[in-house]
Amino acid sequence: MRIRMRSHQRSSVNKEMNALKKKKTPIWKNPVFYLSILMVVVVAFLFFQIVKLNLLPNTLVGIIGVVLLIFIVLTILFGLVLGRSRKGFRIFGIILSIVLIGTSCFGSYYLMNANGALDRIASDGNYDRHTIQLYAVKHSSLNSEKDLNGQTIGILKKSQRTYVNKVIKQLKADKDIKFTTKTYDSSVELVNDFLGQKIDCMMIDASNLSIMEEMDGRQDIRSEIKSIYKYTYYVKKADTSSTADVTSDAFTVLISGSDSRGSINETSRSDVDMLVTVNPKTHVVLMTSIPRDYYVETTCEASMGCGNGEKDKLTHTGLHGIDTTEMTIEKFMDMDINYHVKVGFSTLSNLVDELGGITVNNPQSFSTGNYSFQQGTIELNGEQALAFARERYSFTEGDKERGRNQMRVLTGILNKVMSPSILKNYQGIMSTLADSFQTNMDTDDISALVKEQLSSQASWKIYTTSLDGTTGTAYCYELGDNASVVFPDDNSISEAKTNIQAVEHGEDPPYASQS
């Protein structure tokens, strides 16, 4: 009986095999074959984007690669091999393929946006963008360059005259418009005559409006004027980067905060200037805040259009690009700065919100606008962080305490960025940074820093200090007049240099406070 059953079973199996052979079709005629090819291509592209991101530890990247490979093998096994004889296996393989394709497409899109944002952040560009603007008072009947015939235009004697002259030539020679110009040594005199209607228009680099807002009674000048003509030009940047192995060598970064109302590419005053020295071996960060009104000798290349060798506020150097600010600081600090980061401080709130808020230690309670900040450890959202970092009138030491608060906000941001939680919203964070940050550090260095931190999970010691000085009045080149300035304290600068050198040599900074 057993022999007959085995023979019957063999006969049944043979019949099934013969039936399969008869029904067998070439693999390329199987729709699942093409679905599998698409799946392999999409998954491979996802893995390429993960590798290109260059943030995850190599071990984790390897594990992800193995897991993806296992899923591919299983999908092909169920869809093409087992599925040829069992419909259920084939359906399961198809479903698994579709899920893997959909997940990989979404992941690739996410990573492509993140990688693109990182490229934009590190795309410092070769040129700074400037705009020469021709302004009339708001209630004027002048609305375009066509209305300029017979009018008088005020211009500054020194500020961006090469490009102002180009605009004058363009209007007179190319457009056959006849007008006269009046030259001023002082921005104060130009604005007074313009708003007093002793002249009909003024022609200035648009970034100079921020200087004019510093004048008494001129804080609202933007609301009193209108632009009737503009000319955009570009100035080649200097190569100021000094590369370092950011995973093993100490390096210093200039963070320059701009309150520009336009694109991060446009030049404006450097309202925040901070040196950040990092030692990746000892995991020490030193922040050195420099008063925006520090009275220093401007240093730049001739092509930047600044008053090289002229004395002015540090904040005014930003009108000629962050490279001018960097070169100026390098000279009066007698040091090299490796990289710079230009920050759009007006968009700081977006970054803080993308990080899910930050924690800061506030040494004294104060109020500003609609916000009140209590003494002690406080949580800040984006708008609160921006208000916290901007306020200065509530403090006896004014701008100096504002600089300390800006370092406290940056400390809060660094603490969040250096945690693994950054990966939860990496795309959103990078997109926000791309709109408000710009650096001459390349993408490989940025990725290496993040990758090293995610691998080591090291805790960092953060120190802060501020340069000191005395308040006074002095002639400012860009303004063409006297203004309130901060005269540098040589001892303060010497201590700051000692702090930086200590961090570079693997020691704790002796004249700084730990946050």
Side-chain angles (χ1 to χ4, degrees):
M1 184 68 178
R2 289 180 183 173
I3 294 174
R4 283 199 299 270
M5 287 180 66
R6 288 176 179 171
S7 297
H8 176 72
Q9 287 173 342
R10 281 198 297 271
S11 175
S12 178
V13 169
N14 288 335
K15 287 181 180 180
E16 288 186 14
M17 293 294 292
N18 290 332
L20 283 173
K21 288 178 181 179
K22 290 179 182 179
K23 294 179 180 180
K24 187 175 181 180
T25 57
I27 193 171
W28 59 85
K29 290 187 177 181
N30 188 343
V32 180
F33 172 70
Y34 297 100
L35 187 64
S36 298
I37 291 178
L38 176 62
M39 175 195 64
V40 171
V41 171
V42 172
V43 172
F45 185 73
L46 171 64
F47 188 69
F48 168 75
Q49 291 298 325
I50 293 173
V51 173
K52 183 181 178 183
L53 184 65
N54 197 27
L55 289 183
L56 302 178
N58 292 334
T59 303
L60 182 56
V61 173
I63 292 173
I64 292 173
V66 171
V67 170
L68 290 175
L69 183 60
I70 290 173
F71 271 106
I72 289 174
V73 171
L74 288 175
T75 303
I76 293 175
L77 178 64
F78 282 108
L80 288 179
V81 180
L82 299 177
R84 301 186 74 184
S85 59
R86 300 291 179 89
K87 184 178 180 181
F89 285 151
R90 184 168 67 254
I91 293 174
F92 180 75
I94 292 173
I95 293 174
L96 194 58
S97 295
I98 293 173
V99 170
L100 202 54
I101 290 171
T103 303
S104 298
C105 286
F106 175 79
S108 297
Y109 175 77
Y110 181 95
L111 293 175
M112 285 174 64
N113 284 342
N115 281 323
L118 180 59
D119 290 339
R120 294 203 307 276
I121 292 169
S123 178
D124 196 39
N126 296 319
Y127 295 87
D128 281 319
R129 187 172 71 187
H130 297 254
T131 304
I132 297 295
Q133 294 268 21
L134 184 60
Y135 293 104
V137 292
K138 197 145 218 174
H139 56 75
S140 170
S141 60
L142 305 178
N143 294 304
S144 72
E145 72 274 17
K146 297 176 182 178
D147 301 323
L148 291 176
N149 276 308
Q151 308 298 316
T152 301
I153 300 175
I155 59 176
L156 289 169
K157 182 177 181 180
K158 293 171 287 192
S159 178
Q160 311 294 30
R161 277 304 297 273
T162 298
Y163 300 99
V164 168
N165 289 341
K166 281 187 177 181
V167 177
I168 292 173
K169 181 180 178 181
Q170 183 183 71
L171 292 173
K172 287 186 173 181
D174 299 344
K175 300 197 174 187
D176 194 28
I177 300 172
K178 296 176 173 57
F179 56 86
T180 58
T181 58
K182 183 176 181 180
T183 304
Y184 291 83
D185 290 320
S186 165
S187 295
V188 175
E189 293 176 2
L190 170 60
V191 171
N192 287 341
D193 278 6
F194 171 56
L195 294 180
Q197 296 186 280
K198 293 182 179 179
I199 54 176
D200 303 292
C201 299
M202 69 173 180
M203 185 186 296
I204 59 172
D205 190 295
S207 60
N208 281 4
L209 274 183
S210 58
I211 294 181
M212 295 172 178
E213 287 175 317
E214 298 176 5
M215 303 173 188
D216 290 338
R218 302 304 184 199
Q219 291 79 8
D220 299 321
I221 187 173
R222 293 178 192 269
S223 64
E224 301 177 60
I225 62 179
K226 61 183 177 182
S227 173
I228 61 173
Y229 185 77
K230 69 178 180 179
Y231 169 82
T232 301
Y233 66 99
Y234 297 86
V235 176
K236 187 173 178 59
K237 291 183 176 181
D239 183 11
T240 57
S241 63
S242 175
T243 58
D245 185 342
V246 295
T247 61
S248 60
D249 299 333
F251 60 94
T252 296
V253 180
L254 165 65
I255 296 181
S256 183
S258 165
D259 261 339
S260 172
R261 292 166 173 79
S263 164
I264 189 69
N265 296 316
E266 293 185 353
T267 56
S268 64
R269 291 177 303 172
S270 53
D271 275 357
V272 178
D273 289 300
M274 189 185 305
L275 297 177
V276 179
T277 305
V278 181
N279 190 317
K281 286 296 186 184
T282 59
H283 297 104
V284 170
V285 174
L286 168 67
M287 300 182 195
T288 306
S289 177
I290 308 174
R292 66 189 293 278
D293 290 340
Y294 236 36
Y295 194 58
V296 293
E297 181 182 312
T298 304
T299 305
C300 70
E301 294 183 356
S303 61
M304 296 177 178
C306 77
N308 187 45
E310 300 288 346
K311 299 297 286 288
D312 208 330
K313 296 182 182 186
L314 180 61
T315 183
H316 291 168
T317 61
L319 299 173
H320 303 280
I322 190 173
D323 303 295
T324 299
T325 303
E326 181 177 342
M327 294 167 72
T328 298
I329 293 174
E330 284 182 325
K331 181 167 184 177
F332 81 78
M333 289 286 290
D334 189 24
M335 63 175 290
D336 289 327
I337 297 173
N338 299 96
Y339 307 103
H340 62 237
V341 176
K342 186 178 180 182
V343 183
F345 247 68
S346 59
T347 54
L348 171 72
S349 59
N350 297 334
L351 173 60
V352 173
D353 284 336
E354 291 289 353
L355 290 169
I358 59 173
T359 302
V360 302
N361 183 26
N362 183 26
Q364 57 179 306
S365 60
F366 67 93
S367 297
T368 174
N370 298 322
Y371 301 106
S372 293
F373 303 103
Q374 299 303 312
Q375 183 179 6
T377 302
I378 57 176
E379 301 291 326
L380 302 177
N381 62 27
E383 288 297 326
Q384 290 168 336
L386 186 59
F388 185 88
R390 276 180 163 168
E391 178 58 22
R392 59 174 169 166
Y393 298 109
S394 299
F395 312 116
T396 304
E397 292 188 281
D399 196 56
K400 186 174 181 180
E401 187 61 27
R402 180 173 73 162
R404 296 190 187 108
N405 278 344
Q406 288 164 353
M407 289 190 288
R408 291 175 184 120
V409 167
L410 182 56
T411 299
I413 291 174
L414 287 176
N415 286 333
K416 270 294 182 73
V417 168
M418 290 188 294
S419 69
S421 62
I422 187 178
L423 294 177
K424 294 179 182 178
N425 189 26
Y426 182 73
Q427 181 189 3
I429 292 169
M430 295 307 297
S431 296
T432 299
L433 288 175
D435 293 333
S436 55
F437 280 61
Q438 200 175 64
T439 180
N440 61 352
M441 180 183 286
D442 64 38
T443 55
D444 289 339
D445 286 339
I446 297 173
S447 296
L449 277 173
V450 178
K451 185 176 182 179
E452 177 67 22
Q453 178 60 24
L454 291 175
S455 299
S456 67
Q457 288 296 293
S459 58
W460 290 70
K461 289 193 292 185
I462 300 178
Y463 292 87
T464 60
T465 186
S466 303
L467 294 185
D468 288 327
T470 55
T471 303
T473 302
Y475 178 83
C476 295
Y477 176 81
E478 293 292 339
L479 184 63
D481 214 319
N482 289 339
S484 175
V485 300
V486 175
F487 295 107
D489 177 77
D490 290 338
N491 184 61
S492 172
I493 294 175
S494 177
E495 289 182 351
K497 290 167 62 176
T498 299
N499 284 334
I500 292 171
Q501 290 165 3
V503 172
E504 290 174 342
H505 296 150
E507 305 166 0
D508 290 336
Y511 304 109
S513 302
Q514 187 172 355
S515 298

